[in-house]
Amino acid sequence: LPQGTFSGTNFGYSGTALAYNAARNSLFIVGHDVHQMVAEVTIPEIIRAPAVTGLARATFLQMFADVTEGKLNALLNPGDPNAKKIGGLLPYGGKLVVSGYAYYDGAGRQAVSHFVSGMDLSVTGDVQGPFPMAAPRTGFVSGYMGTIPQAWQGALGGPALTGNCCIPIISRTSYGPAAFAFDPADEGVKTPIPA
């Protein structure tokens, strides 16, 4: 990944949420854990080199940005002084779906988890959410996301999945990896988002 500080952050302690963007053969990735900013980078060619300095390096396609435009901390779990984290990213239907979670939600108060934004990280004013999802607990759905193969969508009930596990306060999340099928097109249309 690119080295250095960009827009006040970097890739230190990063990689907690990333997503493949097939439209550009690139990755959306969360940068430094403290800042929770997202960038889009190229996927470098895989090569062999005798030293790390000889390896191909990703370059920026889009510089770091706050994809939730401040809503991650302000709206995700109001009144909770603990950190809020981006749990997952999913390019879908020309939009970027973002999930988030309150890192230490001991009271189990988090009620919303999913945002939707445009794919251009430099555009502001286009983020919607956070939205609630119909799940036993928000901690079950506030993390990773992916698409479901067409052949399995009917059986599983949707074109995408979302889940979470292994975050603090195990009773508010899944004891193992959870997966709930959903349709990202329902974000901002149906409340709660069926899952």
Side-chain angles (χ1 to χ4, degrees):
L1 292 168
Q3 290 182 310
T5 299
F6 313 91
S7 304
T9 192
N10 58 53
F11 285 108
Y13 306 98
S14 70
T16 55
L18 60 96
Y20 177 65
N21 182 9
R24 292 174 27 144
N25 190 36
S26 61
L27 293 174
F28 283 102
I29 184 169
V30 173
H32 197 287
D33 184 60
V34 170
H35 306 118
Q36 296 296 299
M37 305 282 272
V38 174
E40 184 181 12
V41 297
T42 60
I43 299 174
E45 179 185 356
I46 297 172
I47 59 173
R48 291 181 184 260
V52 172
T53 55
L55 295 174
R57 186 173 297 276
T59 59
F60 282 104
L61 291 175
Q62 296 190 73
M63 195 55 65
F64 286 111
D66 177 359
V67 295
T68 70
E69 298 180 25
K71 292 181 178 185
L72 182 70
N73 285 315
L75 301 177
L76 193 61
N77 199 14
D80 176 8
N82 298 296
K84 314 302 184 298
K85 308 281 185 180
I86 292 176
L89 301 166
L90 178 66
Y92 190 91
K95 299 195 179 231
L96 185 62
V97 180
V98 180
S99 65
Y101 64 93
Y103 183 74
Y104 189 88
D105 185 21
R109 291 190 183 121
Q110 182 180 348
V112 294
S113 57
H114 283 67
F115 303 85
V116 65
S117 179
M119 299 278 279
D120 185 340
L121 302 181
S122 69
V123 173
T124 58
D126 65 344
V127 68
Q128 297 175 352
F131 302 111
M133 188 166 282
R137 292 184 195 95
T138 303
F140 280 38
V141 295
S142 56
Y144 45 80
M145 291 181 284
T147 57
I148 296 173
Q150 181 73 35
W152 298 352
Q153 290 178 15
L156 295 177
L161 65 81
T162 187
N164 209 350
C165 96
C166 315
I167 55 178
I169 313 300
I170 194 68
S171 61
R172 57 97 178 219
T173 187
S174 172
Y175 292 107
F180 289 78
F182 77 110
D183 187 343
D186 290 339
E187 291 200 46
V189 177
K190 298 179 181 178
T191 302
I193 302 164

PDB file of all heavy atoms in Angstrom, residues 30-47:
ATOM      1  N   VAL A  30     -10.325   0.449   4.378  1.00  0.00           N
ATOM      2  CA  VAL A  30     -10.287   1.356   5.526  1.00  0.00           C
ATOM      3  C   VAL A  30      -8.832   1.525   5.925  1.00  0.00           C
ATOM      4  O   VAL A  30      -8.088   0.549   6.037  1.00  0.00           O
ATOM      5  CB  VAL A  30     -11.112   0.787   6.707  1.00  0.00           C
ATOM      6  CG1 VAL A  30     -10.933   1.645   7.952  1.00  0.00           C
ATOM      7  CG2 VAL A  30     -12.578   0.706   6.333  1.00  0.00           C
ATOM      8  N   GLY A  31      -8.433   2.769   6.142  1.00  0.00           N
ATOM      9  CA  GLY A  31      -7.071   3.076   6.554  1.00  0.00           C
ATOM     10  C   GLY A  31      -6.881   2.897   8.051  1.00  0.00           C
ATOM     11  O   GLY A  31      -7.472   2.016   8.667  1.00  0.00           O
ATOM     12  N   HIS A  32      -6.081   3.752   8.645  1.00  0.00           N
ATOM     13  CA  HIS A  32      -5.711   3.636  10.052  1.00  0.00           C
ATOM     14  C   HIS A  32      -6.934   3.437  10.929  1.00  0.00           C
ATOM     15  O   HIS A  32      -7.949   4.112  10.784  1.00  0.00           O
ATOM     16  CB  HIS A  32      -4.942   4.885  10.497  1.00  0.00           C
ATOM     17  CG  HIS A  32      -4.192   4.681  11.768  1.00  0.00           C
ATOM     18  ND1 HIS A  32      -4.819   4.607  12.988  1.00  0.00           N
ATOM     19  CD2 HIS A  32      -2.866   4.529  12.010  1.00  0.00           C
ATOM     20  CE1 HIS A  32      -3.922   4.423  13.931  1.00  0.00           C
ATOM     21  NE2 HIS A  32      -2.728   4.371  13.356  1.00  0.00           N
ATOM     22  N   ASP A  33      -6.815   2.515  11.867  1.00  0.00           N
ATOM     23  CA  ASP A  33      -7.917   2.126  12.731  1.00  0.00           C
ATOM     24  C   ASP A  33      -8.523   3.306  13.500  1.00  0.00           C
ATOM     25  O   ASP A  33      -9.729   3.347  13.712  1.00  0.00           O
ATOM     26  CB  ASP A  33      -7.431   1.058  13.717  1.00  0.00           C
ATOM     27  CG  ASP A  33      -8.549   0.526  14.580  1.00  0.00           C
ATOM     28  OD1 ASP A  33      -9.520  -0.022  14.027  1.00  0.00           O
ATOM     29  OD2 ASP A  33      -8.462   0.673  15.810  1.00  0.00           O
ATOM     30  N   VAL A  34      -7.723   4.257  13.898  1.00  0.00           N
ATOM     31  CA  VAL A  34      -8.227   5.397  14.676  1.00  0.00           C
ATOM     32  C   VAL A  34      -9.115   6.305  13.840  1.00  0.00           C
ATOM     33  O   VAL A  34     -10.120   6.816  14.312  1.00  0.00           O
ATOM     34  CB  VAL A  34      -7.062   6.204  15.290  1.00  0.00           C
ATOM     35  CG1 VAL A  34      -7.542   7.514  15.886  1.00  0.00           C
ATOM     36  CG2 VAL A  34      -6.349   5.377  16.338  1.00  0.00           C
ATOM     37  N   HIS A  35      -8.781   6.501  12.556  1.00  0.00           N
ATOM     38  CA  HIS A  35      -9.465   7.494  11.733  1.00  0.00           C
ATOM     39  C   HIS A  35     -10.666   6.959  10.956  1.00  0.00           C
ATOM     40  O   HIS A  35     -11.552   7.721  10.588  1.00  0.00           O
ATOM     41  CB  HIS A  35      -8.468   8.148  10.771  1.00  0.00           C
ATOM     42  CG  HIS A  35      -7.283   8.703  11.490  1.00  0.00           C
ATOM     43  ND1 HIS A  35      -6.012   8.248  11.253  1.00  0.00           N
ATOM     44  CD2 HIS A  35      -7.188   9.647  12.449  1.00  0.00           C
ATOM     45  CE1 HIS A  35      -5.165   8.904  12.033  1.00  0.00           C
ATOM     46  NE2 HIS A  35      -5.858   9.749  12.775  1.00  0.00           N
ATOM     47  N   GLN A  36     -10.677   5.678  10.627  1.00  0.00           N
ATOM     48  CA  GLN A  36     -11.789   5.047   9.906  1.00  0.00           C
ATOM     49  C   GLN A  36     -12.105   5.757   8.582  1.00  0.00           C
ATOM     50  O   GLN A  36     -13.263   5.919   8.205  1.00  0.00           O
ATOM     51  CB  GLN A  36     -13.031   4.955  10.796  1.00  0.00           C
ATOM     52  CG  GLN A  36     -12.849   4.063  12.006  1.00  0.00           C
ATOM     53  CD  GLN A  36     -12.613   2.609  11.646  1.00  0.00           C
ATOM     54  OE1 GLN A  36     -13.441   1.967  11.031  1.00  0.00           O
ATOM     55  NE2 GLN A  36     -11.463   2.073  12.021  1.00  0.00           N
ATOM     56  N   MET A  37     -11.062   6.161   7.869  1.00  0.00           N
ATOM     57  CA  MET A  37     -11.215   6.782   6.550  1.00  0.00           C
ATOM     58  C   MET A  37     -11.064   5.698   5.490  1.00  0.00           C
ATOM     59  O   MET A  37     -10.369   4.707   5.693  1.00  0.00           O
ATOM     60  CB  MET A  37     -10.156   7.860   6.349  1.00  0.00           C
ATOM     61  CG  MET A  37     -10.139   8.919   7.438  1.00  0.00           C
ATOM     62  SD  MET A  37     -11.434  10.101   7.253  1.00  0.00           S
ATOM     63  CE  MET A  37     -10.627  11.264   6.194  1.00  0.00           C
ATOM     64  N   VAL A  38     -11.696   5.887   4.337  1.00  0.00           N
ATOM     65  CA  VAL A  38     -11.682   4.898   3.259  1.00  0.00           C
ATOM     66  C   VAL A  38     -10.968   5.474   2.043  1.00  0.00           C
ATOM     67  O   VAL A  38     -11.157   6.648   1.709  1.00  0.00           O
ATOM     68  CB  VAL A  38     -13.121   4.485   2.888  1.00  0.00           C
ATOM     69  CG1 VAL A  38     -13.144   3.562   1.676  1.00  0.00           C
ATOM     70  CG2 VAL A  38     -13.812   3.826   4.075  1.00  0.00           C
ATOM     71  N   ALA A  39     -10.170   4.651   1.393  1.00  0.00           N
ATOM     72  CA  ALA A  39      -9.500   5.026   0.143  1.00  0.00           C
ATOM     73  C   ALA A  39      -9.758   3.916  -0.874  1.00  0.00           C
ATOM     74  O   ALA A  39     -10.157   2.809  -0.529  1.00  0.00           O
ATOM     75  CB  ALA A  39      -8.002   5.200   0.359  1.00  0.00           C
ATOM     76  N   GLU A  40      -9.515   4.243  -2.145  1.00  0.00           N
ATOM     77  CA  GLU A  40      -9.558   3.229  -3.200  1.00  0.00           C
ATOM     78  C   GLU A  40      -8.167   3.144  -3.800  1.00  0.00           C
ATOM     79  O   GLU A  40      -7.573   4.167  -4.146  1.00  0.00           O
ATOM     80  CB  GLU A  40     -10.577   3.586  -4.279  1.00  0.00           C
ATOM     81  CG  GLU A  40     -10.708   2.504  -5.337  1.00  0.00           C
ATOM     82  CD  GLU A  40     -11.700   2.841  -6.437  1.00  0.00           C
ATOM     83  OE1 GLU A  40     -12.137   4.006  -6.528  1.00  0.00           O
ATOM     84  OE2 GLU A  40     -12.028   1.932  -7.232  1.00  0.00           O
ATOM     85  N   VAL A  41      -7.642   1.918  -3.901  1.00  0.00           N
ATOM     86  CA  VAL A  41      -6.288   1.708  -4.406  1.00  0.00           C
ATOM     87  C   VAL A  41      -6.285   0.670  -5.528  1.00  0.00           C
ATOM     88  O   VAL A  41      -7.182  -0.162  -5.629  1.00  0.00           O
ATOM     89  CB  VAL A  41      -5.319   1.257  -3.287  1.00  0.00           C
ATOM     90  CG1 VAL A  41      -5.175   2.325  -2.218  1.00  0.00           C
ATOM     91  CG2 VAL A  41      -5.753  -0.064  -2.667  1.00  0.00           C
ATOM     92  N   THR A  42      -5.249   0.747  -6.346  1.00  0.00           N
ATOM     93  CA  THR A  42      -5.046  -0.251  -7.394  1.00  0.00           C
ATOM     94  C   THR A  42      -4.608  -1.562  -6.755  1.00  0.00           C
ATOM     95  O   THR A  42      -4.150  -1.590  -5.606  1.00  0.00           O
ATOM     96  CB  THR A  42      -3.952   0.200  -8.376  1.00  0.00           C
ATOM     97  OG1 THR A  42      -2.724   0.367  -7.651  1.00  0.00           O
ATOM     98  CG2 THR A  42      -4.323   1.493  -9.078  1.00  0.00           C
ATOM     99  N   ILE A  43      -4.730  -2.624  -7.501  1.00  0.00           N
ATOM    100  CA  ILE A  43      -4.197  -3.912  -7.065  1.00  0.00           C
ATOM    101  C   ILE A  43      -2.899  -4.113  -7.842  1.00  0.00           C
ATOM    102  O   ILE A  43      -2.926  -4.273  -9.064  1.00  0.00           O
ATOM    103  CB  ILE A  43      -5.191  -5.052  -7.341  1.00  0.00           C
ATOM    104  CG1 ILE A  43      -6.486  -4.801  -6.563  1.00  0.00           C
ATOM    105  CG2 ILE A  43      -4.575  -6.398  -6.974  1.00  0.00           C
ATOM    106  CD1 ILE A  43      -7.595  -5.779  -6.874  1.00  0.00           C
ATOM    107  N   PRO A  44      -1.762  -4.081  -7.143  1.00  0.00           N
ATOM    108  CA  PRO A  44      -0.495  -4.198  -7.860  1.00  0.00           C
ATOM    109  C   PRO A  44      -0.275  -5.606  -8.405  1.00  0.00           C
ATOM    110  O   PRO A  44      -0.851  -6.580  -7.906  1.00  0.00           O
ATOM    111  CB  PRO A  44       0.545  -3.855  -6.797  1.00  0.00           C
ATOM    112  CG  PRO A  44      -0.108  -4.164  -5.499  1.00  0.00           C
ATOM    113  CD  PRO A  44      -1.580  -3.937  -5.703  1.00  0.00           C
ATOM    114  N   GLU A  45       0.547  -5.664  -9.416  1.00  0.00           N
ATOM    115  CA  GLU A  45       0.911  -6.950  -9.990  1.00  0.00           C
ATOM    116  C   GLU A  45       1.657  -7.775  -8.948  1.00  0.00           C
ATOM    117  O   GLU A  45       2.481  -7.261  -8.196  1.00  0.00           O
ATOM    118  CB  GLU A  45       1.823  -6.723 -11.204  1.00  0.00           C
ATOM    119  CG  GLU A  45       2.281  -7.979 -11.866  1.00  0.00           C
ATOM    120  CD  GLU A  45       3.273  -7.731 -13.001  1.00  0.00           C
ATOM    121  OE1 GLU A  45       3.545  -6.558 -13.307  1.00  0.00           O
ATOM    122  OE2 GLU A  45       3.786  -8.711 -13.549  1.00  0.00           O
ATOM    123  N   ILE A  46       1.335  -9.063  -8.884  1.00  0.00           N
ATOM    124  CA  ILE A  46       2.016  -9.946  -7.950  1.00  0.00           C
ATOM    125  C   ILE A  46       3.325 -10.392  -8.586  1.00  0.00           C
ATOM    126  O   ILE A  46       3.332 -10.983  -9.672  1.00  0.00           O
ATOM    127  CB  ILE A  46       1.146 -11.160  -7.600  1.00  0.00           C
ATOM    128  CG1 ILE A  46      -0.134 -10.686  -6.895  1.00  0.00           C
ATOM    129  CG2 ILE A  46       1.912 -12.147  -6.717  1.00  0.00           C
ATOM    130  CD1 ILE A  46      -1.151 -11.778  -6.664  1.00  0.00           C
ATOM    131  N   ILE A  47       4.423 -10.050  -7.935  1.00  0.00           N
ATOM    132  CA  ILE A  47       5.749 -10.399  -8.447  1.00  0.00           C
ATOM    133  C   ILE A  47       6.597 -10.976  -7.325  1.00  0.00           C
ATOM    134  O   ILE A  47       6.298 -10.783  -6.148  1.00  0.00           O
ATOM    135  CB  ILE A  47       6.470  -9.170  -9.064  1.00  0.00           C
ATOM    136  CG1 ILE A  47       6.631  -8.058  -8.027  1.00  0.00           C
ATOM    137  CG2 ILE A  47       5.722  -8.660 -10.282  1.00  0.00           C
ATOM    138  CD1 ILE A  47       7.468  -6.893  -8.494  1.00  0.00           C
TER     139      ILE A  47
END
